[in-house]
């Protein structure tokens, strides 16, 4: 029996440990692998595609035996997304991506794209038996002018920590992600929530221009002026239209902020819930201060059976004491010294480095309720009840996160050009929830996923009965079975489908692109 590259890739994934470091050109190993293995393989067009990629881009392509392959596989955040691609391709330019698209389309080969690799859904950013396009080497940075607007041009391979370090060195900031290890690309294509969102809208709302490689290999520059329908669709429409190889982000002046993290034990959960409820109270709540943002995370450890909390608070102001909007949070006693203080934004982002841990299997699941004070305790009671039923799954930690989406965010998103999410300020503020679960073993995948689904299904059903329910599902936090696009604002789903049909008429990104949320398969 001939050895095929897919069987070698699968064996590699089953045995690789650690995070290898890619030390540069992999030409010799790639050529040896290209000569050694069978291209027939019986695995669609992947063998032919990889053969052509290795010939045209020998330093950017690798089979499992090449050093580039394990390096690319090491960049995924969750072990649920480490699959077995037939080969990996790591382009350095948009022209490299365009050349690869010609090969992939001609050979009818399935592929997947990965920016930072933070989405934990299996198959979201990797593929079994196809071609993994790792965008990490698309990592250029440049300050430029686009249509008279100053922008920070960044590649999708960067992580937000790198972007903030670079922009802050010039006294500038961008409307980026909240967690420093997260990649640029996936966050922006899902809309992206920023600590600055109540002032600027979704992270994607301050994208002035996208550089995009379409399925036909053309490279286009997408702005409100050049391709208005595609420009709108890329802001929340995921990877349905092309491969974005550069984001041109509007900049704004950098100043010190007041921000940090507060850690509390279970005894102070009632105080934290009260502070959160007061923050989202209509007319008088702290969320009316558009300079501020909070994320409230409640943890349950299935081994110790203990609850605990971590809350991030943020104010875009150079102050040294908590503004009235946040003072209810800073009054609660903490278990460890707080990091809340006046500081630079880059310093604040170092607090989020803990989220880079790649040693777990992870899942996200999303839901939303109307942001009313009563929903705060309502949602916690359901999470607590369900958490206490969990088995002692090895390594399992469940995190239930409150993410307020203010009316100011919705207004700012419309003022800055709109987006596919298209939330209506008239419908009022939203509390977007994410249930994040981490655990150790693949043997527990079915149980853990079923438990997570039950938690939010129960919350949604009871919320509908009480009038708390909101249909919005935040794509960046969602599972594949959730109806993201159908629950965007009025008219968004048909517009997304129209844009996909116009710019990808052969449905390459619906049929060959393995990952992401597909406008062709999601139900209305």
């Amino acid at each position: 029996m001939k050895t095929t590259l897919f069987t070698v890739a699968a064996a590699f994934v089953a045995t690789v440990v650690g995070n290898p470091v890619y030390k540069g050109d992999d030409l010799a190993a790639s050529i040896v692998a290209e000569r050694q293995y069978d291209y027939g393989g019986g695995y669609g067009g992947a063998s032919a595609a990889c053969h052509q990629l290795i010939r045209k881009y020998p330093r950017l392509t690798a089979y499992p035996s090449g050093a580039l392959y394990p390096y690319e596989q090491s960049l995924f955040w969750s072990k649920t997304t480490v699959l077995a691609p037939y080969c990996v391709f790591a382009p350095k330019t948009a022209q490299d991506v365009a050349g690869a698209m010609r090969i992939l389309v001609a050979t009818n080969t399935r592929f997947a794209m990965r920016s930072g690799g933070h989405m934990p859904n299996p198959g979201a950013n990797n593929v079994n038996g196809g071609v993994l396009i790792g965008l990490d080497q698309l990592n250029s940075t440049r300050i430029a002018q686009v249509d008279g607007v100053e922008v920070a041009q960044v590649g999708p391979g960067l992580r937000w920590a790198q972007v903030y370090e670079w922009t802050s060195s010039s006294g500038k900031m961008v409307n980026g992600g909240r967690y420093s290890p997260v990649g640029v690309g996936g966050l922006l294509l899902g809309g992206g929530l920023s600590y600055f969102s109540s002032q600027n809208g979704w992270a994607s709302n301050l994208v002035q221009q996208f550089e995009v490689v379409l399925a036909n290999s053309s490279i286009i520059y997408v702005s409100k002026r050049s391709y208005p329908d595609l420009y709108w669709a890329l802001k929340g429409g995921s990877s349905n239209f092309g491969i974005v190889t550069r984001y041109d982000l509007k900049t704004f002046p950098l100043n010190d902020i007041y921000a940090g993290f507060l850690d509390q034990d279970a005894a102070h959960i009632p105080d934290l819930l009260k502070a959160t409820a007061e923050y989202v109270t209509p007319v008088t709540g702290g969320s009316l201060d558009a300079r501020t943002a909070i994320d409230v995370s409640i943890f349950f450890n299935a081994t110790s059976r203990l609850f605990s909390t971590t809350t991030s608070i943020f104010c875009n102001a150079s102050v040294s004491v908590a503004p009235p909007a946040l003072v209810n949070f800073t009054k609660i006693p903490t278990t460890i010294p707080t990091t809340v203080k006046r500081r630079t934004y880059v310093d604040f982002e170092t607090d989020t480095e803990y989220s880079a841990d790649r040693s777990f299997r992870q899942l996200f699941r999303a839901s939303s309720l109307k942001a009313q004070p009563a929903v705060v305790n309502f949602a916690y009671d359901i999470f607590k009840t369900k958490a206490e039923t969990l088995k002692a799954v090895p390594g399992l930690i469940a995190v239930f996160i409150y993410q307020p989406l203010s009316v100011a965010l919705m207004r700012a998103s419309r003022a800055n050009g709109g987006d596919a999410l298209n939330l209506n300020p008239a419908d009022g503020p939203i509390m977007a929830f994410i249930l994040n679960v981490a655990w150790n073993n693949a043997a527990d995948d079915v149980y853990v996923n079923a438990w997570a689904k039950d938690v939010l299904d129960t919350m949604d059903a009871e919320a509908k009965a009480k009038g708390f329910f909101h249909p919005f599902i935040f794509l960046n936090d969602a599972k594949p079975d959730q109806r993201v696009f159908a629950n965007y604002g009025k008219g968004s789903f048909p517009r997304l489908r129209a844009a996909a049909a116009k710019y990808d008429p052969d449905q390459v990104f619906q049929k060959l692109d393995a990952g992401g949320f597909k406008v062709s398969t999601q139900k209305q």
Side-chain angles (χ1 to χ4, degrees):
M1 179 186 294
K2 286 186 176 181
T3 301
T4 70
L5 279 168
F6 179 70
T7 59
V8 172
F12 162 80
V13 170
T15 59
V16 69
V17 294
N19 291 331
V21 176
Y22 177 53
K23 297 181 179 179
D25 292 341
D26 199 23
L27 179 60
S30 295
I31 290 176
V32 168
E34 187 268 338
R35 291 172 177 168
Q36 180 178 359
Y37 295 104
D38 162 49
Y39 300 118
Y43 218 85
S47 57
C50 291
H51 176 51
Q52 293 180 45
L53 286 169
I54 208 92
R55 287 301 191 184
K56 186 171 184 178
Y57 304 104
R59 301 182 192 277
L60 306 179
T61 310
Y63 293 117
S65 58
L68 178 62
Y69 190 101
Y71 173 74
E72 291 294 331
Q73 291 284 70
S74 77
L75 298 180
F76 294 95
W77 176 59
S78 171
K79 291 188 178 299
T80 55
T81 56
V82 179
L83 305 180
Y86 204 89
C87 68
V88 299
F89 175 65
K92 291 185 176 181
T93 67
Q95 290 73 24
D96 294 339
V97 175
M101 285 304 301
R102 290 188 190 94
I103 292 170
L104 294 169
V105 172
T107 56
N108 198 38
T109 299
R110 284 176 62 77
F111 62 92
M113 303 163 284
R114 190 213 59 243
S115 172
H118 196 75
M119 174 58 83
N121 295 332
N125 42 29
N126 205 348
V127 60
N128 279 323
V131 176
L132 167 62
I133 304 175
L135 302 177
D136 48 287
Q137 295 194 85
L138 289 168
N139 56 11
S140 62
T141 57
R142 180 172 175 260
I143 297 294
Q145 293 281 326
V146 173
D147 295 335
V149 175
E150 183 182 81
V151 298
Q153 296 182 329
V154 299
L158 293 166
R159 298 174 190 272
W160 287 109
Q162 297 169 296
V163 174
Y164 297 140
E165 285 277 0
W166 167 63
T167 58
S168 65
S169 68
S170 300
K172 306 176 193 304
M173 184 48 60
V174 293
N175 197 41
R178 295 164 297 164
Y179 292 87
S180 61
V182 172
V184 165
L187 180 127
L188 290 172
L189 292 178
L193 189 57
S194 170
Y195 282 114
F196 301 100
S197 279
S198 284
Q199 293 180 303
N200 298 320
W202 301 103
S204 60
N205 287 128
L206 291 198
V207 180
Q208 180 74 5
Q209 179 176 259
F210 301 85
E211 179 184 72
V212 183
V213 178
L214 298 179
N216 65 7
S217 296
S218 61
I219 301 171
I220 62 174
Y221 293 87
V222 180
S223 68
K224 183 178 181 179
R225 183 171 55 87
S226 60
Y227 299 92
D229 52 350
L230 182 56
Y231 176 68
W232 173 88
L234 286 168
K235 295 183 289 182
S238 193
S239 56
N240 283 286
F241 317 100
I243 301 178
V244 180
T245 51
R246 195 185 75 211
Y247 298 85
D248 296 350
L249 309 177
K250 294 180 185 178
T251 65
F252 52 90
L254 177 69
N255 53 259
D256 281 358
I257 59 169
Y258 179 83
F261 283 74
L262 302 157
D263 295 279
Q264 282 113 10
D265 58 21
H268 291 99
I269 288 178
D271 300 322
L272 179 59
L273 297 176
K274 181 180 178 182
T276 305
E278 291 176 351
Y279 184 79
V280 299
T281 297
V283 183
T284 61
S287 62
L288 297 176
D289 185 344
R291 302 172 304 166
T292 68
I294 64 167
D295 282 331
V296 176
S297 300
I298 300 178
F299 294 76
F300 178 73
N301 186 311
T303 302
S304 69
R305 317 304 291 179
L306 295 177
F307 290 89
S308 60
T309 73
T310 295
T311 302
S312 66
I313 63 173
F314 173 87
C315 180
N316 185 23
S318 300
V319 297
S320 299
V321 295
L326 300 176
V327 71
N328 288 330
F329 296 97
T330 58
K331 290 191 301 186
I332 304 171
T334 59
T335 55
I336 60 175
T338 176
T339 66
V340 175
K341 59 184 177 182
R342 176 174 173 168
R343 61 206 302 196
T344 66
Y345 192 83
V346 171
D347 181 53
F348 170 50
E349 281 293 327
T350 63
D351 287 356
T352 69
E353 290 174 354
Y354 72 90
S355 60
D357 188 344
R358 300 175 187 164
S359 61
F360 290 95
R361 306 179 73 77
Q362 303 266 1
L363 71 77
F364 288 162
R365 196 166 189 91
S367 184
S368 294
L369 302 179
K370 297 175 183 178
Q372 302 171 0
V375 309
V376 176
N377 282 81
F378 164 79
Y380 170 70
D381 289 343
I382 291 172
F383 171 68
K384 182 176 185 292
T385 299
K386 295 293 185 180
E388 290 172 341
T389 69
L390 271 168
K391 300 176 183 176
V393 173
L396 191 148
I397 298 174
V399 192
F400 190 60
I401 306 172
Y402 296 73
Q403 303 175 119
L405 307 180
S406 66
V407 169
L409 180 160
M410 300 172 200
R411 289 174 177 159
S413 70
R414 293 191 168 191
N416 283 313
D419 48 75
L421 292 79
N422 193 26
L423 296 178
N424 189 347
D427 292 339
I430 297 170
M431 186 70 81
F433 291 92
I434 172 174
L435 181 56
N436 174 203
V437 187
W439 69 102
N440 290 344
N441 302 319
D444 296 312
D445 286 5
V446 173
Y447 171 76
V448 173
N449 276 273
W451 176 83
K453 185 175 187 300
D454 178 58
V455 174
L456 294 190
D457 283 355
T458 299
M459 186 177 80
D460 290 350
E462 295 189 17
K464 289 176 182 178
K466 293 180 178 291
F468 295 155
F469 180 73
H470 194 288
F472 175 66
I473 301 292
F474 187 24
L475 186 151
N476 290 137
D477 300 338
K479 285 288 283 184
D481 64 300
Q482 297 191 280
R483 295 171 63 239
V484 172
F485 300 128
N487 290 305
Y488 276 1
K490 185 177 180 180
S492 283
F493 198 6
R495 289 179 67 185
L496 286 169
R497 282 183 164 168
K502 179 178 177 180
Y503 293 98
D504 181 21
D506 295 327
Q507 293 195 304
V508 169
F509 288 96
Q510 304 304 308
K511 296 178 179 178
L512 295 184
D513 177 11
F517 294 84
K518 304 302 182 188
V519 295
S520 61
T521 57
Q522 286 223 328
K523 296 180 179 179
Q524 181 67 50

